Every structure is written in C-alpha cells, then in structure tokens.
Amino acid sequence: MARNLHELIVYSEEFGLINSPAFYDCVVHLICNGGNGSFSYNDRHFKISINEIAVISRPQMVSDITADENFSCEYIAAPDKFLHNLLPANNYAIQGCISLFDNPIIKVTDLDATRFRTDLANIRNRIDNIDHRFYQELMGSLLQTMVYDLFDFHAKTNVNILTTDRVGYITSQFFMLIEGGRPKTQREVSHYAEQLHVTPKYLSDTIKRVTGTSVSAHINNAATAIALEYLKNSNMSVSQIADEMNFSSLSYFSRFCVKHFGMSPVKFRTAGAKK
C-alpha cells in the first residue's frame, strides 16, 4: 500500500539511523550542531563537525556510523522522487548531485548554518499539518527552499565540480545533453552513447560509478520533469504532448507517467483542475 507524503518526510536527531531502510528511497539532509561524528559512504570515510552539512542521496551506502558524546545533529529525510519533481530539468541539481555523491559534506558559515536550521525547523513544524488543503504543495515549497539554499551553499565553494579527465569529460557531456532537453524526444541509452562516441556499456558504467544512479534513471527523471511541465503549463492535449515528446503511442506515454509520477496524464490534469 502506498504511504502518504507526511509518512515519508521524516525529521530526526538520531545520527545512528541515517542509514535506516526507511530512508532508502530518500535523500537525507543533515547538519551537525556540535561534537564530532563520522561515517563511511560510497566506499570512503567522512568526518562531520559543527556547521557542516551532509547531503546523502543513497542512505543504503552509509556504514560505520560513529560519534563522540558531544555530538548532536538534526536532519530531514525526504523522498528522492518527490524532491526531483520540485525542480526544473535545467538547474544546478544535476552536477551538484554528482559532486555531493563524491563528497557529501558542505562546510558553511555561521549565517548559512542558521539559515539551514531555519529551513529544517520550518519543515519539521509543518510535517503533521495534514489537514492543510494544499499539504503537498506546502511541503513542496518548504523542501524546495531548503534544496535551493543547499545549492547556494555548495556552489560557493565548488566552482569546478567535475574533473577534467575522460570520466569527468564524458559525465559532463552527458549531463549537457540532459540539461539541453534531449530527453524530450530521446530516451534510449544508445542515443547518448552514440553522441558521446562511447559504447552504451561504457556510458552506463561511468555514470553509475560517478553518480550512483543509472543512465536510464537520469534520462527518465529529466523526461518526467519535461512531461510535468507540459501537463501543468501548456494547452496541448495529452495526445499532442505524447507526439511532441516522441512517444510511440498515447498508451505508452500514459504508462510512462504512471510509472514516474504515479498517475496517468489525464488523471494528473483532472486533479490539477480540481485544486
């Protein structure tokens, strides 16, 4: 049975639970409020201390969690798919998330730490406000504010976030194609491999190793954002959108929507019209 959004967004101060199976489909956004802690992630060991933030997109890859007696933290865990759908397809998120998968720690100033704690408090204070008629939109706006603040913190100290070697070049070029809107009509891994003059296996292995997410997932996430934008903000019929996005049939487009954002395009528009 599908769980409600308010059951999926979690506020906690329990550092030892950041790799809980309940968070495996979530991103954990944590700030250290005191003391020293550490954990292993993506086969590397990281330390965290006061005014450092950890953004962990794959909690199942966390192990060896330790902390001293003075350690304290707080964090929000929110569904990765819900967070993704809050953001436009062309943004800092793609390359920023690559960098954060490699190193999830962001050192911030006292002012930015206060701002982030305020973001967490705003989310914590509204999680249980489920009688709000626009609960999903409310939580979406609060989470979106937190994520854009994190982008700002990260961008201040990460001007060049991809390496210049071949792996970095292929990764960067792949995401340039994604950000350029290519998934609107091209959703096969082979297309991107051909554009980058590599084999589909090489591209798949490289992107999976660098980002922790498959090539197909990145392509489909971008295509989902494009489809949502059309459904929300265009006057095109569902059939016209399917044609515009180069789906082979209306039924295939409908199946894609159900799989990636939980409902058919017709139902999505109907639900939006009732709000």
Side-chain angles (χ1 to χ4, degrees):
M1 181 179 295
R3 296 163 65 195
N4 294 322
L5 181 62
H6 76 276
E7 297 176 304
L8 299 173
I9 301 172
V10 176
Y11 171 86
S12 179
E13 298 176 358
E14 297 292 334
F15 185 50
L17 297 181
I18 59 174
N19 62 349
S20 167
F23 300 154
Y24 282 4
D25 293 323
C26 294
V27 181
V28 172
H29 311 82
L30 176 150
I31 187 166
C32 175
N33 294 327
N36 296 281
S38 67
F39 58 92
S40 294
Y41 181 59
N42 192 22
D43 297 324
R44 295 175 60 194
H45 195 67
F46 297 96
K47 296 179 180 180
I48 186 167
S49 57
I50 190 167
N51 287 359
E52 289 185 334
I53 294 170
V55 181
I56 301 169
S57 60
R58 298 289 182 273
Q60 60 268 40
M61 299 181 71
V62 173
S63 61
D64 302 322
I65 303 168
T66 62
D68 63 30
E69 61 182 11
N70 297 316
F71 184 82
S72 64
C73 72
E74 57 184 317
Y75 59 88
I76 290 287
D80 180 54
K81 182 175 288 189
F82 184 69
L83 292 170
H84 170 79
N85 288 338
L86 296 175
L87 303 170
N90 185 9
N91 55 50
Y92 184 82
I94 294 174
Q95 294 192 27
C97 287
I98 294 172
S99 178
L100 285 167
F101 182 70
D102 181 61
N103 179 5
I105 305 297
I106 309 172
K107 176 68 175 178
V108 299
T109 64
D110 290 345
L111 178 62
D112 285 345
T114 298
R115 181 178 299 157
F116 186 66
R117 292 186 182 100
T118 299
D119 290 339
L120 296 184
N122 288 337
I123 296 167
R124 177 194 66 208
N125 292 337
R126 303 305 293 271
I127 288 175
D128 294 329
N129 191 190
I130 57 175
D131 58 342
H132 196 292
R133 183 170 297 183
F134 302 101
Y135 178 79
Q136 183 159 315
E137 291 81 359
L138 170 69
M139 296 309 300
S141 68
L142 295 174
L143 286 163
Q144 188 177 61
T145 297
M146 178 191 71
V147 170
Y148 276 122
D149 278 342
L150 285 169
F151 288 172
D152 178 58
F153 305 156
H154 189 254
K156 289 174 182 175
T157 53
N158 292 271
V159 177
N160 297 309
I161 57 177
L162 285 178
T163 60
T164 57
D165 62 12
R166 177 167 171 77
V167 169
Y169 174 78
I170 293 298
T171 304
S172 176
Q173 293 300 303
F174 170 70
F175 283 110
M176 283 182 66
L177 293 173
I178 294 291
E179 292 175 353
R182 193 68 63 97
K184 173 183 172 182
T185 57
Q186 300 290 343
R187 290 173 291 277
E188 297 296 327
V189 174
S190 58
H191 170 81
Y192 295 85
E194 182 180 346
Q195 295 298 305
L196 298 172
H197 308 292
V198 297
T199 66
K201 185 178 187 307
Y202 179 87
L203 180 61
S204 297
D205 291 347
T206 298
I207 298 303
K208 179 69 173 180
R209 185 170 70 252
V210 172
T211 71
T213 301
S214 70
V215 168
S216 295
H218 286 297
I219 295 169
N220 287 328
N221 284 343
T224 300
I226 294 168
L228 285 168
E229 185 68 19
Y230 272 123
L231 291 168
K232 288 177 181 177
N233 300 314
S234 82
N235 293 321
M236 297 170 66
S237 69
V238 171
S239 179
Q240 287 173 325
I241 295 171
D243 289 341
E244 183 75 10
M245 294 188 67
N246 199 30
F247 281 92
S248 58
S249 67
L250 178 57
S251 62
Y252 182 27
F253 178 55
S254 295
R255 291 196 299 272
F256 177 89
C257 293
V258 170
K259 179 178 180 179
H260 293 288
F261 56 90
M263 64 181 73
S264 72
V266 173
K267 186 174 180 180
F268 179 86
R269 278 195 159 166
T270 302
K274 290 180 179 178
K275 294 179 179 179

